[in-house]
C-alpha cells in the first residue's frame, strides 16, 4: 500500500472519470462507425484498449490503497448510468442510421 485515503472517497473520482471518458470514446466510436465503414478488427482493438485503460485506472486505485473495491465499483456504476442516460438521450433526439 503506497498511501491511504484521507477524507471522503466514495465513489472513486478517478474510476468515475476514466470510465466516463472510456464510455464517451466508445460511444463516439460507435456513432462514427455505425454506417459499417472502417475495418472491424481495428474498431475492436481500440474498444478493447479503451476498456482495459479504464479498468486499469480503477484497479490501480485499489492496489495503491487509496480506495476500497466498493469505491471503484461505485465509480464504474455511476459512470455507466450516466453514459447509459446520455446514450439514450442521444438516440431519442438525433435521427441515427439504423
Amino acid at each position: 500500500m503506497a498511501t491511504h485515503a484521507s477524507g471522503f472517497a466514495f465513489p472513486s473520482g478517478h474510476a468515475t472519470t476514466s470510465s466516463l471518458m472510456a464510455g464517451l470514446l466508445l460511444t463516439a466510436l460507435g456513432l462514427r462507425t455505425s454506417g459499417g465503414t472502417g475495418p472491424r478488427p481495428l474498431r475492436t482493438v481500440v474498444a478493447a484498449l479503451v476498456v482495459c485503460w479504464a479498468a486499469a485506472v480503477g484497479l490501480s486505485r485499489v492496489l495503491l490503497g487509496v480506495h476500497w473495491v466498493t469505491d471503484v465499483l461505485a465509480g464504474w456504476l455511476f459512470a455507466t448510468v450516466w453514459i447509459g442516460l446520455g446514450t439514450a438521450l442521444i438516440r431519442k433526439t438525433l435521427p441515427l442510421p439504423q
Side-chain angles (χ1 to χ4, degrees):
M1 193 178 321
T3 185
H4 67 282
S6 61
F8 297 109
F10 184 83
S12 169
H14 285 86
T16 302
T17 304
S18 65
S19 296
L20 280 172
M21 181 58 69
L24 289 172
L25 288 171
L26 291 175
T27 301
L29 181 67
L31 290 174
R32 178 81 171 136
T33 60
S34 63
T37 60
R40 191 176 226 18
L42 180 62
R43 291 186 299 188
T44 304
V45 168
V46 170
L49 287 173
V50 167
V51 169
C52 287
W53 167 73
V57 169
L59 293 175
S60 73
R61 304 285 88 201
V62 175
L63 292 175
L64 288 172
V66 295
H67 283 289
W68 294 99
V69 174
T70 53
D71 298 340
V72 172
L73 291 175
W76 287 340
L77 179 62
F78 185 63
T80 302
V81 168
W82 275 108
I83 291 296
L85 289 173
T87 303
L89 183 64
I90 288 171
R91 289 180 188 260
K92 185 170 177 68
T93 59
L94 295 177
L96 298 175
Q98 297 297 329

